């Protein structure tokens, strides 16, 4: 089933994304998503649309602000029906199987989204010798020439006959100017101009043609693109002749030619070679002395031949189109500049937030800060190691924004989130048609990070073939986009991150030895949260302030029991888990303080507590703990093992019963007894 996601931001539909069978579409703020929504209310990885059993399904990826489907926040996978509206932050995505469901005026949208008839075709005028051209013009019976229209600016001292139907033409031009000012793209503008020309002249076929733009954006001298065409006759539009186009482009004057039935240089022929046009006119589209293109009109009906008034009107429309094109280009450039400024502001906010989010005053975090300061000025590759959730990306950002490349882009890519083919495309880009779904050229992360920093998370997930190509680029070699032949070089500093044991991966042949040594130039090890428990209170207070502000709650802090529980907990998910626990507690807490009962902690084991390590005889990792805490744990474990028989417990511990009672009161172990349900 053909399906689309039509994206709307604010009050305007901004993009159409076609859903491809068998391909999952991720939505979020991170640039690695298929659909990127730049909205602070959108999570980095917010939602996913995928196909199951032939039905497109929506899934929320545990986003912070949730995904809303038809006005209701979803908590489970939901099947999509045509017409469903998905809301993520301030953006809306309409799921449709027919574009007319999303666009009441589908015709105008389709005209701006895909080539119109004749668009993309080129005409290369043949520039003849000047004397030959003049001879040809005389033979072709060009009957009128004008530099400008009297409808817009009458010539001083003009003693010719008065311009007929001035009032009618002026009213039409006024209406047309307003319509042209509303155009949002070149194709729409050209179609509006054609509608006005057909209303104000005696023609039944024509087109708007503009000089092609080269790679630098400059207009090509000899190539014309058909932007929009129209015909009211039974024959399709026939393109302007090379002779006529060359004449208008060279002289910059409008021309009107009659009796062209026998003139192959001016007339239009159908597929059988028979002449169609009885009269033809061309008007140059000029701006600041340069001819940007031309208006080509002709009549196939001998009873409705073009006249000098039609030439006057066409010249006026062509000059109006030139002004509208210039204003449209200025608006587009302004929009692009605004997008660039917005992106720079986002990067600046991220840069300012780096130091505030690397929180911790423990000795191990001070060593991390020293390592960042030493690595930042260098151009060398940095390998950041640490468990999942410790904040490796924050460390990478700190390195970038403390380096001489701070004004350049900071680009991130998670190597574990993509298949081998998609990862290659994301890294190096692809050309149009390189593979199914490659409808446009796309630059890769290496090109996007030119003069800046590229952070590759989960580098150990790269396949061997991608590792080989990646190594060549790290060595300074040029690369090619997927499906391309052009050699591309980029000045990029690479920061790699992993939670894997790369040495073990190398020994097992899963990771290239030469790539390991190329990455392992500078190393920063980010410690797990359980190895710096003294940082837990500061981190907890930071997240509490953040989520208080986001939710509007006014929680005052943590109860002593809650803080003690967080410090004692081993945090297998590290800082990411702590953040999520605090967010959940802020939402669910019933009192003024977050208590231990508000904390939802997992029973997962940390990387150092696995059963495999215990079976292998490896010692449990060291965790700092006081003697009082060790005694408390030992007493409570002995009591629970003896079903809270105090006499038996005192005997096993080798102390008096009165001493045991005193320690129970000291450590408040009766609370543990009541929670365990022991009478």
């Amino acid at each position: 089933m053909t399906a689309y996601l039509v994206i709307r931001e604010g009050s305007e539909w901004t993009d159409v994304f076609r859903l491809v069978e068998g391909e999952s579409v991720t939505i979020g703020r991170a640039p690695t998503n298929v659909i990127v929504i730049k909205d602070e209310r959108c999570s980095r990885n917010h939602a996913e649309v995928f196909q199951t059993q032939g039905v497109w399904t929506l899934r929320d990826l545990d986003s912070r602000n949730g995904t809303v489907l038809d006005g209701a926040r979803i908590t489970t996978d939901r099947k999509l029906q045509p017409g469903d509206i998905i809301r993520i932050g301030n953006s809306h995505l309409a799921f449709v199987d027919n574009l007319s469901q999303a666009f009441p005026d589908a015709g105008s949208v389709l005209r701006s989204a895909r080539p119109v008839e004749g668009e993309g075709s080129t005409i290369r005028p043949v520039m003849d010798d000047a004397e030959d051209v003049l001879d040809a013009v005389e033979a072709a019976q060009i009957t009128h020439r004008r530099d400008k229209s009297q409808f817009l600016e009458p010539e001083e001292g003009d003693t010719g006959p008065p311009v007929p139907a001035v009032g009618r033409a002026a009213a039409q031009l006024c209406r047309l100017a307003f319509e042209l000012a509303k155009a949002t793209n070149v194709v729409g503008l050209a179609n509006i101009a054609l509608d006005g020309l057909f209303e104000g002249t005696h023609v039944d076929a024509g087109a708007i043609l503009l000089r092609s733009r080269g790679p630098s954006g400059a207009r090509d001298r000899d190539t014309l693109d058909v932007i929009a065409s129209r015909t009211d006759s039974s024959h399709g539009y026939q393109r302007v002749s090379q002779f006529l186009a060359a004449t208008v482009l060279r002289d910059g004057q409008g021309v009107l030619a009659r009796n062209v039935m026998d003139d192959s240089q001016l007339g239009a022929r159908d597929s059988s070679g028979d002449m169609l046009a009885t009269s033809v006119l061309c008007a140059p589209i000029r701006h600041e002395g340069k001819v940007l293109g031309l208006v080509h009109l002709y009549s196939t009906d001998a009873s409705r031949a073009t006249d000098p008034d039609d030439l006057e009107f066409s010249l006026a429309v062509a000059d109006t189109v030139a002004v509208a094109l210039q204003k449209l280009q200025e608006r587009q450039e302004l929009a692009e500049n605004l997008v660039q400024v917005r992106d720079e502001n986002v990067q600046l906010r991220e840069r300012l937030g780096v130091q505030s989010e690397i929180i911790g005053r423990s000795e191990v975090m001070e060593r991390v800060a020293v390592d960042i300061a030493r690595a930042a000025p260098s151009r060398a590759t940095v390998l950041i190691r640490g468990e999942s959730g410790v904040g490796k990306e924050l460390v990478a950002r700190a390195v970038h924004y403390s380096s001489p490349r701070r004004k350049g882009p900071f680009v991130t890519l998670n190597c574990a989130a993509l298949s081998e083919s998609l990862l290659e495309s994301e890294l190096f880009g692809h050309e149009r048609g390189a593979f199914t779904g490659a409808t446009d050229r796309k630059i890769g992360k290496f090109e996007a990070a030119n003069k800046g920093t590229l952070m590759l998370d989960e580098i150990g997930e790269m396949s061997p073939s991608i590792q080989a190509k990646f190594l060549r680029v790290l060595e300074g070699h040029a690369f090619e986009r997927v499906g391309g032949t052009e050699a591309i070089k980029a000045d990029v500093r690479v920061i790699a991150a992993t939670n894997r044991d790369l040495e073990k991966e190398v020994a097992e042949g899963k990771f290239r030895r030469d790539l390991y040594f190329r990455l392992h130039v500078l190393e920063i090890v980010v410690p797990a949260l359980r190895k710096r428990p003294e940082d837990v209170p500061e981190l907890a207070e930071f997240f509490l302030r953040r989520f208080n502000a986001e939710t509007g709650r006014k929680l005052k802090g943590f109860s002593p029991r809650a803080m003690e529980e967080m410090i004692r907990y081993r945090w297998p998910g590290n800082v990411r888990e702590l953040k999520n626990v605090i967010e959940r507690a802020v939402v669910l807490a019933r009192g003024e303080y977050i208590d231990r009962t508000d904390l939802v902690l997992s029973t997962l084991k940390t990387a150092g507590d696995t059963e495999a390590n215990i079976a292998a005889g490896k010692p449990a990792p060291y965790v700092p703990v006081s003697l009082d805490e060790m005694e408390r744990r030992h007493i409570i474990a002995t009591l629970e093992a003896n079903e809270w028989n105090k006499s038996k417990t005192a005997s096993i511990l080798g102390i008096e019963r009165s001493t045991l009672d005193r320690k129970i009161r000291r450590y408040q172990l009766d609370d543990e007894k009541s929670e365990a349900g022991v009478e």
Side-chain angles (χ1 to χ4, degrees):
M1 178 186 69
T2 302
Y4 306 87
L5 284 178
V6 186
I7 305 170
R8 186 180 72 189
E9 296 179 357
S11 61
E12 296 184 356
W13 297 103
T14 60
D15 204 355
V16 179
F17 188 90
R18 181 175 181 180
L19 300 176
V20 179
E21 184 176 356
E23 293 186 8
S24 174
V25 176
T26 56
I27 307 169
R29 183 163 45 87
T32 53
N33 290 286
V34 178
I35 298 179
V36 179
I37 297 179
K38 295 184 178 180
D39 187 335
E40 293 183 354
R41 291 178 58 82
C42 178
S43 299
R44 292 180 59 82
N45 298 290
H46 197 104
E48 179 182 19
V49 176
F50 58 94
Q51 196 176 46
T52 174
Q53 297 180 350
V55 178
W56 288 101
T57 304
L58 174 66
R59 172 181 295 168
D60 182 79
L61 301 179
D62 296 327
S63 62
R64 183 180 63 193
N65 294 308
T67 302
V68 177
L69 178 63
D70 291 339
R73 183 167 178 169
I74 66 173
T75 56
T76 60
D77 292 355
R78 293 284 300 276
K79 295 181 180 179
L80 294 174
Q81 300 293 331
D84 284 350
I85 300 297
I86 305 168
R87 180 168 63 83
I88 297 177
N90 293 322
S91 298
H92 296 73
L93 296 87
F95 175 80
V96 298
D97 57 6
N98 188 326
L99 288 179
S100 62
Q101 297 172 333
F103 299 103
D105 184 13
S108 62
V109 174
L110 293 179
R111 282 199 300 272
S112 64
R114 63 177 60 177
V116 298
E117 180 182 356
E119 181 179 354
S121 61
T122 59
I123 298 174
R124 299 187 179 275
V126 178
M127 306 302 291
D128 297 327
D129 181 80
E131 185 176 354
D132 295 338
V133 171
L134 289 176
D135 292 341
V137 171
E138 292 177 1
Q141 297 180 328
I142 295 176
T143 58
H144 292 79
R145 289 179 180 270
R146 295 202 64 84
D147 290 329
K148 55 188 175 182
S149 172
Q150 296 180 27
F151 291 158
L152 290 183
E153 187 178 351
E155 295 181 353
E156 295 183 4
D158 191 345
T159 58
V163 179
V166 173
R168 176 182 60 83
Q172 289 176 333
L173 286 172
C174 183
R175 291 195 302 269
L176 183 59
F178 278 107
E179 293 299 321
L180 290 174
K182 299 176 184 178
T184 58
N185 57 75
V186 176
V187 176
L189 186 150
N191 278 295
I192 293 171
L194 277 180
D195 291 341
L197 286 164
F198 273 57
E199 179 184 354
T201 62
H202 301 87
V203 299
D204 53 23
I208 304 294
L209 303 95
L210 294 179
R211 278 176 161 159
S212 302
R213 288 190 180 276
S216 63
R219 296 282 183 185
D220 187 277
R221 177 178 176 81
D222 298 330
T223 305
L224 288 174
D225 290 339
V226 177
I227 304 302
S229 63
R230 172 178 166 179
T231 177
D232 292 343
S233 67
S234 59
H235 301 276
Y237 166 70
Q238 304 298 316
R239 296 175 180 84
V240 63
S241 67
Q242 294 179 344
F243 160 73
L244 189 56
T247 302
V248 176
L249 291 177
R250 184 189 67 247
D251 298 342
Q253 293 182 328
V255 298
L256 167 63
R258 297 174 178 168
N259 303 322
V260 297
M261 293 294 294
D262 298 323
D263 196 313
S264 62
Q265 292 179 314
L266 297 181
R269 296 178 180 272
D270 61 13
S271 58
S272 62
D274 295 333
M275 298 300 298
L276 296 176
T278 61
S279 57
V280 179
L281 65 84
C282 268
I285 299 174
R286 300 164 296 192
H287 181 72
E288 296 181 351
K290 297 180 180 179
V291 181
L292 307 179
L294 55 87
V295 174
H296 174 224
L297 302 169
Y298 62 87
S299 174
T300 61
D301 186 354
S303 63
R304 299 182 71 249
T306 55
D307 56 31
D309 291 344
D310 294 333
L311 178 60
E312 297 282 356
F313 188 80
S314 300
L315 280 167
V317 172
D319 287 342
T320 306
V321 167
V323 174
L325 283 172
Q326 180 63 23
K327 297 302 180 184
L328 179 61
Q329 181 178 349
E330 291 176 357
R331 291 202 303 269
Q332 291 174 342
E333 291 176 353
L334 178 60
E336 292 173 358
N337 291 337
L338 288 175
V339 171
Q340 181 179 356
V341 170
R342 190 181 297 114
D343 291 341
E344 290 176 353
N345 286 339
V346 170
Q347 288 190 2
L348 182 58
R349 288 197 300 270
E350 291 174 345
R351 176 182 175 185
L352 293 175
V354 167
Q355 295 301 327
S356 64
E357 293 192 12
I358 298 183
I359 295 172
R361 302 178 183 178
S362 60
E363 183 179 349
V364 291
M365 288 307 296
E366 288 180 357
R367 287 201 297 268
V368 171
V370 171
D371 291 340
I372 291 173
R374 290 176 177 175
S378 171
R379 294 171 53 92
T381 305
V382 180
L383 179 62
I384 302 176
R385 311 181 79 155
E387 296 177 10
S388 179
V390 296
K392 297 188 288 295
E393 183 175 339
L394 287 178
V395 173
R397 288 182 182 275
V399 172
H400 169 74
Y401 288 115
S402 301
S403 73
R405 296 173 175 262
R406 65 177 65 91
K407 294 183 179 180
F410 178 78
V411 180
T412 62
L413 178 63
N414 190 325
C415 300
L418 302 169
S419 64
E420 179 177 340
S421 58
L422 288 178
L423 178 58
E424 182 178 9
S425 173
E426 285 293 326
L427 279 174
F428 307 112
H430 63 251
E431 297 288 347
R432 179 178 181 180
F435 50 84
T436 302
T439 56
D440 295 294
R441 169 188 284 185
K442 176 181 179 180
I443 66 170
K445 300 300 184 184
F446 266 104
E447 288 183 78
N450 189 38
K451 304 296 182 182
T453 303
L454 172 62
M455 186 223 175
L456 297 176
D457 200 4
E458 306 299 344
I459 191 72
E461 302 291 340
M462 269 191 181
S463 66
S465 60
I466 302 297
Q467 290 179 29
K469 190 170 183 179
F470 177 54
L471 177 60
R472 281 186 55 82
V473 179
L474 282 183
E475 296 289 352
H477 295 281
F479 61 92
E480 299 173 354
R481 299 189 188 98
V482 177
T485 58
E486 178 186 359
I488 302 169
K489 294 196 71 171
D491 178 15
V492 177
R493 182 185 190 180
V494 173
I495 298 178
T498 184
N499 59 7
R500 289 195 172 198
D501 186 346
L502 289 186
E503 290 81 1
K504 180 181 178 182
E505 299 282 316
V506 171
E508 295 177 353
K510 297 179 181 179
F511 199 82
R512 292 178 64 101
R513 181 182 298 270
D514 47 5
L515 178 57
Y516 167 76
F517 288 117
R518 186 65 182 82
L519 293 173
H520 197 238
V521 178
L522 298 175
E523 182 179 79
I524 299 177
V525 178
V526 186
L529 184 56
R530 63 181 175 277
K531 296 184 179 180
R532 50 185 183 112
E534 59 269 40
D535 291 334
V536 170
E538 187 176 358
L539 283 164
E541 293 291 344
F542 170 79
F543 289 128
L544 176 61
R545 289 193 299 272
R546 171 192 285 186
F547 295 123
N548 264 342
E550 290 184 3
T551 61
R553 301 207 62 182
K554 298 180 180 180
L555 298 177
K556 296 181 179 180
F558 301 88
S559 69
R561 291 174 42 157
M563 185 59 70
E564 179 184 356
E565 183 76 12
M566 288 191 295
I567 294 175
R568 187 170 66 246
Y569 183 60
R570 292 183 57 75
W571 299 109
N574 292 295
V575 180
R576 182 185 293 120
E577 182 186 5
L578 173 62
K579 172 179 173 244
N580 294 334
V581 167
I582 301 301
E583 182 177 13
R584 185 186 298 111
V586 168
V587 174
L588 300 179
R590 289 167 291 183
E592 294 183 341
Y593 292 87
I594 294 177
D595 199 2
R596 185 172 64 177
T597 56
D598 299 320
L599 303 176
V600 181
L601 304 176
S602 73
T603 58
L604 296 175
K605 296 181 179 179
T606 62
D609 293 338
T610 62
E611 295 180 0
N613 286 344
I614 296 173
K618 295 182 179 179
Y622 166 74
V623 179
V625 64
S626 66
L627 287 174
D628 285 347
E629 175 62 20
M630 186 66 72
E631 183 180 53
R632 189 193 73 82
R633 292 182 187 179
H634 185 57
I635 291 174
I636 190 67
T638 307
L639 283 167
E640 290 176 350
N642 292 281
E643 299 179 349
W644 287 82
N645 186 316
K646 296 182 180 180
S647 298
K648 189 174 181 180
T649 299
S651 175
I652 293 174
L653 294 175
I655 58 177
E656 297 292 332
R657 167 68 183 269
S658 59
T659 303
L660 177 61
D661 288 333
R662 188 167 58 254
K663 290 184 180 294
I664 289 175
R665 290 192 298 272
R666 174 185 175 186
Y667 295 127
Q668 299 179 351
L669 298 184
D670 284 332
D671 294 339
E672 302 285 347
K673 179 180 179 181
S674 59
E675 289 182 6
V678 179
E679 297 295 336

